[in-house]
Amino acid sequence: MILGVLEKEMKTDWKGTLRQVAKMGYTHLEFNKYYGDSAASFKNFMKEVGLKPLAGGFSISEMKKEELLKKAIDEALFLEKKYMVCYWPWPDSGNDKKLDDFKKAANDLNHVGEVCNKMGIRFAMHNHDKEFVPVQGYQWGYEVLLKETDPANVAMLLDLYWITKGGGDPIRLLKDYPDRFELFHVKDMDKTPAKSYTCAGYGIIDFKKIFAQARKTNIKHYIVEIDQAEYPVNCVRDSFTYLKNLRY
């Protein structure tokens, strides 16, 4: 689960919130900042309640600052995270990207991935909808990122909401590139014309079909995410219950 949705609760009572998350059944967390007096105390408390740090990260613009990147990797390794994630591969809004833009982004991802690999942490790239635009020779620019990045240094974190929002096809990508995807962000799409995000199980994404295909791939972690929710604690609890009971 991503801690961001519980930001208000974490600020108010981070220990109580983590206990609550663990009781729901979650075992791994994705987060960018620790709470409490130090990274060590936060790490120790997570161990106490049975939660494991999994991933965290920031944008490619920040990651290209090598000293900043290395410092972030050192902290991630201290916390025993397994992945450093690039959440945004563009230096700008990400609009109107062409083939050369995707090739440049792939080159940047390869470089950061190589640094991460050498320091002992797996690097992953997170998509949004911006990557699912047609470019020369490809149905989606995202395919350029898949073809032009080195699988040894760059894993893919597939956000199932954003690929759906962008008009991509997760089933086809999982079939065509079964070894590239290691992580899912799992949030749903609501039934309104705006196609906003919602809690897993509340919306229209066919997780059953996607997960059935994912069983044939290299997916390692399914991470519950919701950018915002009216009742965030209920959302993460309901998402866990829905996904735990999903049969595929």
Side-chain angles (χ1 to χ4, degrees), residues 129-171:
D129 54 343
K130 303 290 188 181
E131 292 78 49
F132 292 92
V133 294
V135 298
Q136 182 182 351
Y138 296 90
Q139 183 176 358
W140 306 304
Y142 187 77
E143 294 178 276
V144 180
L145 301 179
L146 286 166
K147 288 183 177 293
E148 298 282 334
T149 52
D150 181 355
N153 291 331
V154 183
M156 292 297 183
L157 189 168
L158 189 64
D159 187 298
L160 299 178
Y161 167 80
W162 285 113
I163 182 176
T164 304
K165 177 96 172 192
D169 183 349
I171 301 295

Short mmCIF file of all heavy atoms in Angstrom, two decimals, residues 129-171:
data_model
loop_
_atom_site.label_atom_id
_atom_site.label_comp_id
_atom_site.label_asym_id
_atom_site.label_seq_id
_atom_site.Cartn_x
_atom_site.Cartn_y
_atom_site.Cartn_z
N ASP A 129 -0.98 8.67 -17.79
CA ASP A 129 -1.67 8.56 -19.07
C ASP A 129 -0.88 9.19 -20.21
O ASP A 129 -1.09 8.86 -21.38
CB ASP A 129 -3.07 9.18 -18.99
CG ASP A 129 -3.04 10.62 -18.48
OD1 ASP A 129 -2.03 11.05 -17.88
OD2 ASP A 129 -4.07 11.32 -18.66
N LYS A 130 0.06 10.08 -19.88
CA LYS A 130 0.79 10.83 -20.91
C LYS A 130 1.60 9.93 -21.84
O LYS A 130 1.91 10.31 -22.97
CB LYS A 130 1.74 11.83 -20.25
CG LYS A 130 1.10 12.82 -19.30
CD LYS A 130 0.24 13.83 -20.01
CE LYS A 130 -0.24 14.91 -19.05
NZ LYS A 130 -1.11 15.89 -19.71
N GLU A 131 1.96 8.76 -21.36
CA GLU A 131 2.82 7.87 -22.16
C GLU A 131 2.03 7.06 -23.19
O GLU A 131 2.62 6.40 -24.04
CB GLU A 131 3.58 6.90 -21.24
CG GLU A 131 4.63 7.57 -20.38
CD GLU A 131 4.06 8.29 -19.18
OE1 GLU A 131 3.23 7.70 -18.44
OE2 GLU A 131 4.44 9.47 -18.98
N PHE A 132 0.70 7.15 -23.13
CA PHE A 132 -0.12 6.34 -24.03
C PHE A 132 -0.68 7.19 -25.17
O PHE A 132 -1.89 7.34 -25.35
CB PHE A 132 -1.20 5.60 -23.24
CG PHE A 132 -0.58 4.56 -22.35
CD1 PHE A 132 -0.23 4.86 -21.05
CD2 PHE A 132 -0.26 3.30 -22.84
CE1 PHE A 132 0.40 3.92 -20.24
CE2 PHE A 132 0.37 2.37 -22.05
CZ PHE A 132 0.70 2.67 -20.74
N VAL A 133 0.27 7.75 -25.91
CA VAL A 133 -0.04 8.53 -27.11
C VAL A 133 0.66 7.85 -28.29
O VAL A 133 1.71 7.22 -28.11
CB VAL A 133 0.43 9.99 -26.98
CG1 VAL A 133 -0.36 10.71 -25.89
CG2 VAL A 133 1.93 10.07 -26.69
N PRO A 134 0.09 7.95 -29.49
CA PRO A 134 0.76 7.35 -30.65
C PRO A 134 2.00 8.14 -31.04
O PRO A 134 2.00 9.38 -31.01
CB PRO A 134 -0.31 7.41 -31.75
CG PRO A 134 -1.21 8.54 -31.34
CD PRO A 134 -1.21 8.55 -29.85
N VAL A 135 3.07 7.43 -31.38
CA VAL A 135 4.26 8.06 -31.93
C VAL A 135 4.69 7.26 -33.16
O VAL A 135 4.20 6.15 -33.39
CB VAL A 135 5.42 8.13 -30.91
CG1 VAL A 135 5.04 8.95 -29.71
CG2 VAL A 135 5.86 6.73 -30.49
N GLN A 136 5.59 7.80 -33.91
CA GLN A 136 6.01 7.16 -35.16
C GLN A 136 6.44 5.71 -34.94
O GLN A 136 7.37 5.44 -34.19
CB GLN A 136 7.17 7.96 -35.76
CG GLN A 136 7.68 7.42 -37.09
CD GLN A 136 8.87 8.21 -37.60
OE1 GLN A 136 9.21 9.26 -37.07
NE2 GLN A 136 9.51 7.71 -38.65
N GLY A 137 5.74 4.79 -35.59
CA GLY A 137 6.11 3.38 -35.53
C GLY A 137 5.53 2.61 -34.36
O GLY A 137 5.72 1.40 -34.26
N TYR A 138 4.81 3.29 -33.48
CA TYR A 138 4.28 2.63 -32.27
C TYR A 138 2.85 3.09 -32.00
O TYR A 138 2.51 4.25 -32.20
CB TYR A 138 5.14 2.98 -31.05
CG TYR A 138 6.55 2.48 -31.13
CD1 TYR A 138 7.55 3.28 -31.69
CD2 TYR A 138 6.91 1.22 -30.65
CE1 TYR A 138 8.87 2.84 -31.76
CE2 TYR A 138 8.23 0.78 -30.71
CZ TYR A 138 9.18 1.59 -31.27
OH TYR A 138 10.49 1.15 -31.33
N GLN A 139 2.05 2.17 -31.47
CA GLN A 139 0.70 2.54 -31.06
C GLN A 139 0.73 3.48 -29.87
O GLN A 139 -0.05 4.41 -29.78
CB GLN A 139 -0.11 1.28 -30.70
CG GLN A 139 -1.57 1.57 -30.33
CD GLN A 139 -2.37 0.30 -30.08
OE1 GLN A 139 -1.86 -0.80 -30.22
NE2 GLN A 139 -3.63 0.48 -29.71
N TRP A 140 1.68 3.22 -28.96
CA TRP A 140 1.83 4.06 -27.77
C TRP A 140 3.31 4.37 -27.55
O TRP A 140 4.18 3.50 -27.69
CB TRP A 140 1.31 3.34 -26.52
CG TRP A 140 -0.08 2.83 -26.62
CD1 TRP A 140 -1.21 3.55 -26.93
CD2 TRP A 140 -0.52 1.49 -26.41
NE1 TRP A 140 -2.31 2.74 -26.92
CE2 TRP A 140 -1.92 1.47 -26.60
CE3 TRP A 140 0.12 0.29 -26.07
CZ2 TRP A 140 -2.68 0.31 -26.48
CZ3 TRP A 140 -0.62 -0.86 -25.94
CH2 TRP A 140 -2.01 -0.85 -26.15
N GLY A 141 3.59 5.59 -27.16
CA GLY A 141 4.96 5.95 -26.84
C GLY A 141 5.55 5.11 -25.72
O GLY A 141 6.77 4.90 -25.65
N TYR A 142 4.70 4.63 -24.85
CA TYR A 142 5.16 3.77 -23.75
C TYR A 142 5.94 2.57 -24.25
O TYR A 142 6.87 2.11 -23.58
CB TYR A 142 3.93 3.31 -22.94
CG TYR A 142 4.25 2.55 -21.68
CD1 TYR A 142 4.68 3.22 -20.54
CD2 TYR A 142 4.12 1.17 -21.61
CE1 TYR A 142 4.96 2.53 -19.36
CE2 TYR A 142 4.40 0.47 -20.44
CZ TYR A 142 4.82 1.16 -19.33
OH TYR A 142 5.11 0.46 -18.18
N GLU A 143 5.58 2.08 -25.44
CA GLU A 143 6.29 0.94 -26.01
C GLU A 143 7.74 1.28 -26.34
O GLU A 143 8.61 0.41 -26.32
CB GLU A 143 5.56 0.42 -27.24
CG GLU A 143 4.20 -0.17 -26.95
CD GLU A 143 3.47 -0.62 -28.18
OE1 GLU A 143 2.83 0.23 -28.83
OE2 GLU A 143 3.55 -1.83 -28.53
N VAL A 144 7.99 2.55 -26.65
CA VAL A 144 9.38 2.98 -26.89
C VAL A 144 10.18 2.82 -25.60
O VAL A 144 11.32 2.36 -25.60
CB VAL A 144 9.42 4.45 -27.37
CG1 VAL A 144 10.86 4.89 -27.62
CG2 VAL A 144 8.57 4.63 -28.63
N LEU A 145 9.57 3.21 -24.48
CA LEU A 145 10.24 3.06 -23.19
C LEU A 145 10.54 1.59 -22.89
O LEU A 145 11.61 1.26 -22.37
CB LEU A 145 9.39 3.67 -22.07
CG LEU A 145 9.06 5.16 -22.22
CD1 LEU A 145 8.18 5.62 -21.05
CD2 LEU A 145 10.33 6.00 -22.29
N LEU A 146 9.61 0.72 -23.23
CA LEU A 146 9.82 -0.71 -23.01
C LEU A 146 10.96 -1.24 -23.88
O LEU A 146 11.79 -2.03 -23.43
CB LEU A 146 8.53 -1.48 -23.31
CG LEU A 146 7.42 -1.36 -22.27
CD1 LEU A 146 6.10 -1.87 -22.85
CD2 LEU A 146 7.77 -2.13 -21.01
N LYS A 147 11.00 -0.82 -25.12
CA LYS A 147 12.00 -1.35 -26.06
C LYS A 147 13.37 -0.72 -25.88
O LYS A 147 14.40 -1.37 -26.13
CB LYS A 147 11.52 -1.15 -27.51
CG LYS A 147 10.36 -2.06 -27.90
CD LYS A 147 9.97 -1.87 -29.36
CE LYS A 147 8.88 -2.84 -29.77
NZ LYS A 147 9.33 -4.24 -29.79
N GLU A 148 13.41 0.53 -25.45
CA GLU A 148 14.68 1.26 -25.40
C GLU A 148 15.34 1.23 -24.02
O GLU A 148 16.46 1.72 -23.88
CB GLU A 148 14.45 2.72 -25.83
CG GLU A 148 13.96 2.90 -27.25
CD GLU A 148 15.06 2.76 -28.29
OE1 GLU A 148 16.23 3.02 -27.95
OE2 GLU A 148 14.75 2.40 -29.44
N THR A 149 14.67 0.70 -23.01
CA THR A 149 15.30 0.60 -21.69
C THR A 149 15.84 -0.81 -21.48
O THR A 149 15.31 -1.79 -22.03
CB THR A 149 14.31 0.94 -20.56
OG1 THR A 149 13.11 0.17 -20.70
CG2 THR A 149 13.96 2.42 -20.58
N ASP A 150 16.89 -0.90 -20.70
CA ASP A 150 17.56 -2.17 -20.42
C ASP A 150 16.82 -2.90 -19.29
O ASP A 150 16.77 -2.39 -18.17
CB ASP A 150 19.00 -1.89 -20.01
CG ASP A 150 19.80 -3.15 -19.72
OD1 ASP A 150 19.22 -4.26 -19.75
OD2 ASP A 150 21.01 -3.03 -19.48
N PRO A 151 16.25 -4.07 -19.56
CA PRO A 151 15.51 -4.78 -18.52
C PRO A 151 16.34 -5.09 -17.27
O PRO A 151 15.78 -5.23 -16.18
CB PRO A 151 15.08 -6.08 -19.21
CG PRO A 151 15.09 -5.77 -20.66
CD PRO A 151 16.21 -4.79 -20.85
N ALA A 152 17.66 -5.18 -17.43
CA ALA A 152 18.51 -5.46 -16.27
C ALA A 152 18.55 -4.28 -15.30
O ALA A 152 18.78 -4.46 -14.10
CB ALA A 152 19.92 -5.79 -16.74
N ASN A 153 18.29 -3.08 -15.82
CA ASN A 153 18.39 -1.87 -14.99
C ASN A 153 17.07 -1.15 -14.77
O ASN A 153 16.97 -0.32 -13.86
CB ASN A 153 19.38 -0.88 -15.63
CG ASN A 153 20.81 -1.37 -15.57
OD1 ASN A 153 21.19 -2.10 -14.66
ND2 ASN A 153 21.61 -0.99 -16.55
N VAL A 154 16.07 -1.44 -15.58
CA VAL A 154 14.81 -0.72 -15.51
C VAL A 154 13.64 -1.70 -15.50
O VAL A 154 13.37 -2.37 -16.49
CB VAL A 154 14.64 0.26 -16.69
CG1 VAL A 154 13.33 1.05 -16.53
CG2 VAL A 154 15.83 1.21 -16.80
N ALA A 155 12.96 -1.77 -14.36
CA ALA A 155 11.71 -2.53 -14.27
C ALA A 155 10.54 -1.56 -14.50
O ALA A 155 10.72 -0.35 -14.48
CB ALA A 155 11.58 -3.18 -12.90
N MET A 156 9.36 -2.11 -14.72
CA MET A 156 8.19 -1.27 -14.93
C MET A 156 7.17 -1.45 -13.81
O MET A 156 6.84 -2.58 -13.43
CB MET A 156 7.53 -1.59 -16.28
CG MET A 156 8.38 -1.19 -17.47
SD MET A 156 8.63 0.61 -17.52
CE MET A 156 9.57 0.78 -19.05
N LEU A 157 6.72 -0.30 -13.29
CA LEU A 157 5.61 -0.26 -12.35
C LEU A 157 4.40 0.21 -13.15
O LEU A 157 4.34 1.36 -13.57
CB LEU A 157 5.92 0.71 -11.20
CG LEU A 157 4.97 0.75 -10.00
CD1 LEU A 157 5.60 1.53 -8.85
CD2 LEU A 157 3.61 1.32 -10.31
N LEU A 158 3.46 -0.68 -13.39
CA LEU A 158 2.31 -0.36 -14.22
C LEU A 158 1.15 0.13 -13.35
O LEU A 158 0.61 -0.62 -12.54
CB LEU A 158 1.88 -1.59 -15.02
CG LEU A 158 0.82 -1.36 -16.11
CD1 LEU A 158 1.37 -0.43 -17.20
CD2 LEU A 158 0.37 -2.69 -16.73
N ASP A 159 0.79 1.39 -13.53
CA ASP A 159 -0.36 1.96 -12.82
C ASP A 159 -1.61 1.62 -13.63
O ASP A 159 -1.80 2.12 -14.75
CB ASP A 159 -0.19 3.47 -12.67
CG ASP A 159 -1.28 4.07 -11.79
OD1 ASP A 159 -2.46 3.98 -12.17
OD2 ASP A 159 -0.95 4.65 -10.73
N LEU A 160 -2.46 0.78 -13.08
CA LEU A 160 -3.60 0.25 -13.83
C LEU A 160 -4.68 1.29 -14.07
O LEU A 160 -5.43 1.19 -15.06
CB LEU A 160 -4.17 -0.97 -13.10
CG LEU A 160 -3.18 -2.13 -12.95
CD1 LEU A 160 -3.81 -3.27 -12.17
CD2 LEU A 160 -2.68 -2.61 -14.30
N TYR A 161 -4.76 2.28 -13.22
CA TYR A 161 -5.71 3.38 -13.47
C TYR A 161 -5.22 4.24 -14.63
O TYR A 161 -5.96 4.51 -15.58
CB TYR A 161 -5.90 4.24 -12.23
CG TYR A 161 -6.60 5.54 -12.54
CD1 TYR A 161 -7.99 5.59 -12.69
CD2 TYR A 161 -5.88 6.73 -12.72
CE1 TYR A 161 -8.63 6.78 -13.01
CE2 TYR A 161 -6.52 7.92 -13.03
CZ TYR A 161 -7.89 7.94 -13.18
OH TYR A 161 -8.52 9.12 -13.50
N TRP A 162 -3.97 4.66 -14.57
CA TRP A 162 -3.48 5.62 -15.56
C TRP A 162 -3.38 5.02 -16.96
O TRP A 162 -3.63 5.71 -17.95
CB TRP A 162 -2.16 6.23 -15.13
CG TRP A 162 -2.31 7.25 -14.05
CD1 TRP A 162 -1.87 7.18 -12.76
CD2 TRP A 162 -2.98 8.52 -14.15
NE1 TRP A 162 -2.22 8.31 -12.06
CE2 TRP A 162 -2.90 9.14 -12.89
CE3 TRP A 162 -3.64 9.17 -15.20
CZ2 TRP A 162 -3.45 10.40 -12.64
CZ3 TRP A 162 -4.21 10.42 -14.95
CH2 TRP A 162 -4.10 11.02 -13.70
N ILE A 163 -3.02 3.75 -17.06
CA ILE A 163 -2.98 3.14 -18.39
C ILE A 163 -4.39 3.06 -18.97
O ILE A 163 -4.61 3.30 -20.16
CB ILE A 163 -2.31 1.74 -18.38
CG1 ILE A 163 -2.26 1.18 -19.81
CG2 ILE A 163 -2.97 0.78 -17.45
CD1 ILE A 163 -1.54 -0.14 -19.94
N THR A 164 -5.36 2.76 -18.11
CA THR A 164 -6.75 2.71 -18.57
C THR A 164 -7.25 4.09 -18.96
O THR A 164 -7.89 4.27 -20.00
CB THR A 164 -7.65 2.12 -17.46
OG1 THR A 164 -7.14 0.84 -17.08
CG2 THR A 164 -9.08 1.97 -17.94
N LYS A 165 -6.93 5.07 -18.16
CA LYS A 165 -7.32 6.46 -18.44
C LYS A 165 -6.72 6.94 -19.77
O LYS A 165 -7.34 7.66 -20.53
CB LYS A 165 -6.85 7.37 -17.31
CG LYS A 165 -7.14 8.85 -17.52
CD LYS A 165 -8.40 9.29 -16.84
CE LYS A 165 -8.56 10.79 -16.90
NZ LYS A 165 -9.60 11.30 -16.03
N GLY A 166 -5.48 6.52 -20.04
CA GLY A 166 -4.80 6.96 -21.26
C GLY A 166 -5.19 6.21 -22.51
O GLY A 166 -4.74 6.56 -23.60
N GLY A 167 -6.01 5.17 -22.37
CA GLY A 167 -6.42 4.39 -23.54
C GLY A 167 -5.48 3.25 -23.88
O GLY A 167 -5.55 2.68 -24.98
N GLY A 168 -4.61 2.89 -22.95
CA GLY A 168 -3.73 1.75 -23.16
C GLY A 168 -4.44 0.43 -22.87
O GLY A 168 -5.59 0.42 -22.42
N ASP A 169 -3.74 -0.65 -23.10
CA ASP A 169 -4.31 -1.98 -22.91
C ASP A 169 -3.38 -2.81 -22.05
O ASP A 169 -2.40 -3.37 -22.55
CB ASP A 169 -4.51 -2.65 -24.28
CG ASP A 169 -5.17 -4.01 -24.18
OD1 ASP A 169 -5.30 -4.55 -23.06
OD2 ASP A 169 -5.54 -4.57 -25.24
N PRO A 170 -3.64 -2.92 -20.75
CA PRO A 170 -2.73 -3.67 -19.88
C PRO A 170 -2.62 -5.14 -20.25
O PRO A 170 -1.55 -5.73 -20.11
CB PRO A 170 -3.34 -3.50 -18.48
CG PRO A 170 -4.76 -3.08 -18.71
CD PRO A 170 -4.76 -2.32 -19.99
N ILE A 171 -3.69 -5.72 -20.74
CA ILE A 171 -3.65 -7.14 -21.12
C ILE A 171 -2.65 -7.35 -22.25
O ILE A 171 -1.82 -8.26 -22.21
CB ILE A 171 -5.04 -7.65 -21.53
CG1 ILE A 171 -6.04 -7.49 -20.39
CG2 ILE A 171 -4.96 -9.10 -22.00
CD1 ILE A 171 -5.75 -8.33 -19.19
#
